[in-house]
Amino acid sequence: AAAAAGHAARLGRKLGRVTLRDPRARWGSCTSAGDLMFSWRLILAPDPVLDYVAAHEAAHLAHMDHSPRFWAEVAGLCPDYAEARAWLRRNGPALLRYDFSAGAGA
């Protein structure tokens, strides 16, 4: 939440509510109202990956798409985002294997 708030402030945008959930198809999302959602599994990722996802979602406060302008915004907020994005592509499936629901093991 702190990283997302910092990135939103750098963009001059207002951040809405921040929530943690357990999605299986995405690491985060941004609503048109400025609410951000992050996968709780990101806590298992390195700090630069957390920062990238926070920057990615904050950039959606300015651009609700994945246009070149959006990616330029991400790069401005998180210059090394490509490395973090690659880490998620390589290691994300392992993070999805964790299951802390009742009676389940990792």
Side-chain angles (χ1 to χ4, degrees):
H7 291 307
R10 286 181 59 194
L11 294 172
R13 302 290 175 150
K14 186 173 179 178
L15 184 64
R17 197 170 47 127
V18 176
T19 58
L20 294 178
R21 295 194 185 144
D22 191 15
R24 292 296 184 157
R26 59 184 58 193
W27 298 110
S29 64
C30 177
T31 70
S32 59
D35 296 336
L36 303 185
M37 180 282 303
F38 295 100
S39 169
W40 69 265
R41 296 165 191 282
L42 289 169
I43 195 66
L44 303 170
D47 287 344
V49 173
L50 294 167
D51 188 59
Y52 156 65
V53 176
H56 182 113
E57 298 311 328
H60 281 307
L61 298 170
H63 306 283
M64 289 297 287
D65 56 26
H66 288 106
S67 67
R69 291 184 318 156
F70 165 82
W71 287 108
E73 205 78 78
V74 173
L77 295 171
C78 184
D80 295 331
Y81 81 89
E83 293 173 31
R85 190 170 185 221
W87 188 96
L88 268 178
R89 287 183 181 199
R90 280 190 318 271
N91 299 289
L95 299 183
L96 292 173
R97 287 197 297 258
Y98 286 90
D99 184 359
F100 291 110
S101 59

